[in-house]
């Protein structure tokens, strides 16, 4: 086995591998990872057997800890379809020895939830077990299997009926600026926080990934945006990144209509609709109001796990 530390000259090879891997998404492409490269000391690995790239691992170093990766929702080993369980064990053996020799004390390893896998790709979970990894964080997301949907709750049905009476228009939008104002006001008023991405960052990312990042909006009869939803489109899955509405939008069920449109009109052919996590404080706190709304659409639990390996 040969291990290379990622360098900019490997960008094309890296991105091509991500696009053809069995568990990678566009979030691991370098143009997405590096929009916040000033915040992370990149330390990503590429693994070869007989000069064939079989896996990559996005990561960075901070205070003698190797993370996979703090700037991403999920992470870990991105694998090609030729990799075997023995190969994966060998990768973990090599990576733990290499990092230990570099003075690294710990690996914090984010896993990629199975819903993002195009084919079975949990060899790394077995390798974590073999390396005495400890589960340190578990967040729960709400996911719909689109081929076997659960019926909406009565509250979601009422929201949809209300929205239909208000003659709202739903569709794709390019007006990120207007939506980001709504989103910022929502997060500031409710949680005293800001969006993970600034308007400039999400605009940059959408310009680099126009086939994957989309804004759906709800317009009132005055042609004003009263609710929006930013989604990340994967090969087999739709992930909700942001949703927000004005007071008018909330009162007239605009978000309910948006989500229903995305599920049943825009992407019924996908395998999964992932509504995102509803936990805080490393998974210790569940936002019950938030998950109630998501489960009202028939979404049920998918976990996003993080492990620690002491070196």
């Amino acid at each position: 086995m040969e291990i290379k530390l990622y360098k900019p000259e490997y960008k094309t090879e890296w991105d091509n591998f991500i696009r053809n891997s069995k568990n990678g998404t566009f979030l691991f492409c370098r143009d997405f990872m590096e929009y916040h490269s000033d915040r992370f000391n990149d330390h990503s690995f590429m693994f070869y057997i007989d000069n064939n790239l079989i896996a990559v691992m996005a990561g960075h170093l901070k205070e003698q800890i190797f993370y996979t990766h703090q700037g991403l929702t999920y992470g870990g080993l991105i694998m090609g379809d030729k990799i075997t369980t023995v190969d994966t064990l060998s990768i973990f053996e090599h990576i733990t020895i290499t990092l230990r020799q570099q003075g690294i004390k710990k690996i914090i390893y984010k896993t990629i939830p199975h819903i993002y896998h195009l084919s079975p790709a949990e060899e790394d979970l077995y390798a974590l077990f073999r390396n005495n990894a400890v589960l340190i964080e578990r967040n729960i997301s709400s996911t719909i299997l689109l081929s076997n949907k659960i019926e909406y709750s009565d509250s979601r049905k009422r929201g949809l009926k209300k929205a239909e009476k208000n003659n709202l228009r739903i569709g794709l939008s390019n007006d990120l600026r207007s939506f980001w104002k709504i989103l910022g006001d929502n997060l500031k008023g409710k949680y005293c926080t800001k969006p993970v991405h600034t308007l400039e960052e999400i605009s940059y990312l959408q310009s680099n990934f126009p086939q994957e990042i989309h804004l759906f909006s709800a317009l009132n009869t005055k042609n004003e945006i009263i609710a929006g939803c930013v989604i990340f489109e994967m090969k087999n899955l739709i992930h909700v990144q942001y949703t927000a509405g004005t007071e008018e939008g909330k009162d007239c069920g605009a978000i309910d209509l948006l989500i229903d449109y995305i599920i049943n009109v825009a992407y019924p052919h996908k395998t999964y609709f992932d509504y995102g996590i509803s936990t805080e404080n490393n998974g210790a706190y569940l936002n019950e109001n938030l998950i109630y709304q998501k489960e009202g659409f028939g979404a049920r639990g998918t976990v996003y796990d993080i492990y620690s390996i002491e070196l």
Side-chain angles (χ1 to χ4, degrees):
M1 179 172 291
E2 180 187 6
I3 303 175
K4 292 182 182 178
L5 199 61
Y6 174 80
K7 297 179 181 178
E9 54 261 39
Y10 303 146
K11 179 179 186 293
T12 299
E13 184 181 18
W14 176 287
D15 285 350
N16 286 340
F17 182 83
I18 296 297
R19 293 292 191 183
N20 293 287
S21 67
K22 65 178 182 174
N23 64 334
T25 69
F26 74 93
L27 273 65
F28 297 102
C29 291
R30 300 310 302 195
D31 285 337
F32 191 98
M33 287 178 56
E34 293 174 3
Y35 83 88
H36 49 26
S37 58
D38 57 315
R39 289 176 243 167
F40 301 101
N41 176 23
D42 189 85
H43 202 81
S44 300
F45 293 100
M46 305 172 74
F47 305 93
Y48 298 81
I49 290 181
D50 297 330
N51 295 317
N52 294 313
L53 184 60
I54 63 165
V56 301
M57 187 182 292
H60 68 93
L61 298 176
K62 182 181 179 181
E63 297 174 352
Q64 294 183 294
I65 299 175
F66 175 73
Y67 293 90
T68 74
H69 174 301
Q70 283 182 303
L72 299 172
T73 307
Y74 43 82
L77 194 67
I78 313 300
M79 297 175 272
D81 58 10
K82 302 295 185 186
I83 198 170
T84 66
T85 300
V86 171
D87 294 335
T88 307
L89 289 172
S90 181
I91 285 172
F92 271 74
E93 180 182 4
H94 281 79
I95 203 74
T96 52
I97 290 172
T98 299
L99 290 171
R100 190 179 293 116
Q101 289 174 343
Q102 294 174 354
I104 304 304
K105 302 298 185 184
K106 184 186 296 185
I107 296 172
I108 303 297
Y109 187 97
K110 289 183 176 179
T111 61
I112 301 173
H114 74 276
I115 56 175
Y116 291 91
H117 301 177
L118 296 178
S119 61
E122 295 186 346
E123 291 87 351
D124 62 331
L125 298 185
Y126 178 65
L128 287 169
F129 164 74
R130 287 283 296 270
N131 282 271
N132 300 312
V134 176
L135 178 67
I136 59 171
E137 182 174 337
R138 168 167 282 172
N139 294 290
I140 191 161
S141 184
S142 301
T143 306
I144 298 172
L145 177 62
L146 292 173
S147 64
N148 189 24
K149 296 192 289 289
I150 297 172
E151 185 179 359
Y152 291 175
S153 69
D154 290 342
S155 59
R156 298 283 68 81
K157 290 177 182 177
R158 288 193 297 270
L160 284 172
K161 287 181 180 178
K162 190 189 300 182
E164 289 163 0
K165 290 178 181 178
N166 283 279
N167 298 315
L168 304 182
R169 290 193 295 111
I170 306 293
L172 286 168
S173 172
N174 294 317
D175 194 358
L176 278 169
R177 183 173 297 277
S178 294
F179 173 67
W180 233 247
K181 173 68 166 59
I182 297 170
L183 177 64
D185 290 345
N186 271 223
L187 292 175
K188 183 178 180 182
K190 210 167 188 180
Y191 304 110
C192 296
T193 60
K194 298 178 181 179
V196 172
H197 303 93
T198 65
L199 174 61
E200 291 71 27
E201 287 172 342
I202 197 67
S203 298
Y204 165 81
L205 290 172
Q206 189 185 49
S207 68
N208 278 279
F209 299 95
Q211 303 303 314
E212 288 93 357
I213 301 176
H214 309 291
L215 168 64
F216 286 85
S217 65
L219 305 179
N220 62 15
T221 54
K222 299 176 184 177
N223 218 34
E224 300 166 330
I225 292 182
I226 58 172
C229 179
V230 171
I231 63 104
F232 287 179
E233 179 180 353
M234 319 299 178
K235 290 179 180 178
N236 68 326
L237 177 149
I238 296 301
H239 171 75
V240 174
Q241 185 68 19
Y242 297 108
T243 55
T246 63
E247 288 306 314
E248 177 188 352
K250 294 171 186 175
D251 289 341
C252 68
I255 293 177
D256 286 338
L257 193 62
L258 265 175
I259 298 302
D260 180 72
Y261 179 91
I262 292 168
I263 292 170
N264 292 304
V265 179
Y267 298 105
H269 57 285
K270 296 290 185 179
T271 305
Y272 295 108
F273 171 88
D274 188 43
Y275 211 157
I277 64 172
S278 301
T279 40
E280 303 168 30
N281 191 25
N282 300 328
Y285 173 76
L286 175 66
N287 187 327
E288 294 186 13
N289 289 331
L290 183 59
I291 203 167
Y292 172 81
Q293 191 262 350
K294 296 174 181 179
E295 290 179 343
F297 284 101
R300 294 297 184 265
T302 296
V303 292
Y304 286 54
D305 285 347
I306 302 177
Y307 290 84
S308 173
I309 299 176
E310 297 290 337
L311 299 179

